[in-house]
Amino acid sequence: MEYGSIADIAKKHGARISYNEIIAPYTSFNIGGVCDVIVVPNSAECICEIVSECREKGIRYYFLGKCTNILVSDDGLRGVVIIAGGDYNSVRREGNDLICDAGASLTRICNTAKNESLTGMEFAYGIPGSAGGGLYMNAGAFGGEMKDVVLYCDYLDTDGSIKRMGKEEMQLSYRHSIFTGTDRIILSVCFELGPGVKDEIAAKMNDIMQRRRDKQPLEYPSAGSTFKRPDGAFAARLIQDSGLKGYVVGGAQVSEKHSGFVINRGGATCDDVCRIIDDIKEKVYADSGIQLECELIKMG
Ligand SMILES: Cc1cc2nc3c(=O)[nH]c(=O)nc-3n(C[C@H](O)[C@H](O)[C@H](O)COP(=O)(O)OP(=O)(O)OC[C@H]3O[C@@H](n4cnc5c(N)ncnc54)[C@H](O)[C@@H]3O)c2cc1C
């Protein structure tokens, strides 16, 4: 079998592996077709061995976190799709730091911080991604971003070695890090937090979550904000001003609640979303002269 050696590694580590599985249910958009192989690794060792094997054998591979910022092709993905998560999600405290597996969800990290009376992470509550995906994107919200809290990360470099990188080297800027567009795999992330008061942390998190519920179409599948914030403008406002609020293509729609979100109203395909994105870009550019850039990442 073409993927026999990958299956052997997965089996050795007790990781879940599947063939010809539809990826849609793994994604927050609930979109994406049949993938050749999906592996859900349960340790850094398992990740490193699978990635090294793919690199050595020239097998195409994708490394994903919680799949909340991606749009996968209706044809799925060829090769090996590695989805961090499963049991690769530990969060442990050292002093005022939280050391998190790349697959740990930001929600779990925020809740751990709260329970440990550590403050600094509250802004990330409700971002549905992972520690690794969050750092890769320099995810941010409500005036905070990963850049404010990350201390260092461990990653698998392209030469197969595991290295540690401090924040100052990470080139963190708006939805960008040194990892963006590279083949380096983030294995774990250390967040530097400070002592806080549990009830105050909880109150801030609840407030943030309520503001998300009030403003964002969380009742529908999506990949969050479709576009990056352009300099000096807001994507949602531009889209609204172009008369595209509620605009529908197939099963996809510009959210009526928040024009910055394209939602899956049910049965949306990747093609539907791509057409909406193209239409939005064209109309907004024609109306405002501003070129919107996608925040979500198209795969396949
Ligand atoms: C309802 C909703 C609300 C959202 N709100 C926000 C928000 O407020 N702020 C915000 O910034 N984002 C937001 N997002 C987008 C998304 O949750 C973030 O970008 C998140 O950080 C993505 O993490 P992920 O684990 O899902 O990454 P994925 O979507 O799985 O992957 C995103 C990219 O990161 C890469 N990647 C993932 N893990 C690793 C790793 N360990 N090593 C190397 N590369 C990796 C992938 O290859 C891919 O290129 C929202 C999304 C939704 C659906």
Side-chain angles (χ1 to χ4, degrees), residues 28 63-70 84 102 106 126-130 132-141 175 179 184-187 212 216 218 222-225 261 295 297 299:
S28 60
F63 196 90
L64 303 175
K66 295 285 175 202
C67 308
T68 63
N69 204 45
I70 58 166
L106 292 172
I127 301 179
S130 63
L135 182 57
Y136 179 97
M137 298 294 302
N138 187 27
R175 303 297 172 264
F179 299 99
R184 292 159 160 171
I185 310 289
I186 300 161
L187 297 171
R212 281 185 181 275
Q216 300 179 357
L218 301 185
S222 78
S225 297
F261 282 57
E295 178 168 326
I297 299 164
M299 298 206 155

Side-chain angles (χ1 to χ4, degrees), residues 20 29 44 48 54 56-57 96 108 140 156 163 184 188 191 198 206 213 219 225 229 245 248 260 265 269 293:
N20 302 316
F29 231 147
C48 293
C54 289
E56 211 169 281
K57 296 260 167 73
N96 287 335
R108 183 185 172 99
L156 176 66
K163 293 182 177 147
R184 292 159 160 171
S188 64
F191 295 106
K198 188 173 175 180
N206 290 338
R213 282 197 206 99
E219 57 282 16
S225 297
R229 193 179 56 236
K245 188 176 194 154
V248 172
R265 294 191 313 162
T269 63
E293 195 190 329

Side-chain angles (χ1 to χ4, degrees), residues 11-300:
K11 199 186 271 180
K12 185 174 99 183
H13 289 279
R16 206 173 80 68
I17 183 164
S18 64
Y19 306 91
N20 302 316
E21 188 183 4
I22 292 175
I23 195 171
Y26 289 93
T27 73
S28 60
F29 231 147
N30 200 18
I31 291 175
V34 175
C35 296
D36 291 346
V37 178
I38 294 179
V39 190
V40 183
N42 47 14
S43 66
E45 294 72 33
C46 180
I47 291 172
C48 293
E49 281 186 41
I50 288 174
V51 170
S52 301
E53 181 68 11
C54 289
R55 286 175 177 167
E56 211 169 281
K57 296 260 167 73
I59 299 171
R60 180 89 181 88
Y61 67 93
Y62 297 82
F63 196 90
L64 303 175
K66 295 285 175 202
C67 308
T68 63
N69 204 45
I70 58 166
L71 172 63
V72 181
S73 161
D74 300 317
D75 295 329
L77 299 170
R78 306 287 66 83
V80 177
V81 182
I82 305 159
I83 301 182
D87 293 337
Y88 191 53
N89 65 1
S90 82
V91 178
R92 108 187 123 77
R93 179 175 183 166
E94 244 179 45
N96 287 335
D97 300 341
L98 288 184
I99 298 165
C100 310
D101 287 343
S105 73
L106 292 172
T107 303
R108 183 185 172 99
I109 297 167
C110 290
N111 279 323
T112 306
K114 177 191 71 182
N115 293 336
E116 295 287 331
S117 299
L118 292 172
T119 185
M121 206 68 209
E122 296 90 324
F123 74 90
Y125 194 51
I127 301 179
S130 63
L135 182 57
Y136 179 97
M137 298 294 302
N138 187 27
F142 300 98
E145 55 183 351
M146 291 293 129
K147 189 181 176 184
D148 302 331
V149 282
V150 65
L151 184 61
Y152 64 82
C153 75
D154 290 337
Y155 66 99
L156 176 66
D157 208 346
T158 46
D159 63 5
S161 62
I162 295 174
K163 293 182 177 147
R164 179 161 293 185
M165 187 189 285
K167 182 196 2 217
E168 54 296 337
E169 278 182 78
M170 292 183 190
Q171 300 174 8
L172 295 166
S173 61
Y174 179 64
R175 303 297 172 264
H176 177 274
S177 71
I178 197 169
F179 299 99
T180 311
T182 73
D183 206 10
R184 292 159 160 171
I185 310 289
I186 300 161
L187 297 171
S188 64
V189 184
C190 174
F191 295 106
E192 187 179 33
L193 305 176
V197 177
K198 188 173 175 180
D199 287 350
E200 289 173 12
I201 296 167
K204 200 167 171 191
M205 283 165 59
N206 290 338
D207 174 56
I208 280 174
M209 192 48 103
Q210 193 53 51
R211 281 152 74 184
R212 281 185 181 275
R213 282 197 206 99
D214 290 344
K215 285 195 178 152
Q216 300 179 357
L218 301 185
E219 57 282 16
Y220 288 101
S222 78
S225 297
T226 314
F227 299 101
K228 291 184 181 171
R229 193 179 56 236
D231 275 345
F234 289 101
R237 173 52 63 86
L238 293 168
I239 293 166
Q240 199 170 316
D241 290 350
S242 284
L244 291 170
K245 188 176 194 154
Y247 178 60
V248 172
V249 174
Q253 182 179 31
V254 176
S255 165
E256 306 257 18
K257 195 168 174 185
H258 190 313
S259 309
F261 282 57
V262 173
I263 57 166
N264 180 354
R265 294 191 313 162
T269 63
C270 177
D271 279 353
D272 293 340
V273 177
C274 289
R275 276 179 50 205
I276 284 209
I277 288 173
D278 288 347
D279 291 350
I280 291 173
K281 281 182 166 175
E282 196 180 316
K283 184 83 167 57
V284 166
Y285 185 69
D287 292 348
S288 67
I290 294 175
Q291 194 73 63
L292 289 178
E293 195 190 329
C294 271
E295 178 168 326
L296 64 77
I297 299 164
K298 168 91 182 10
M299 298 206 155

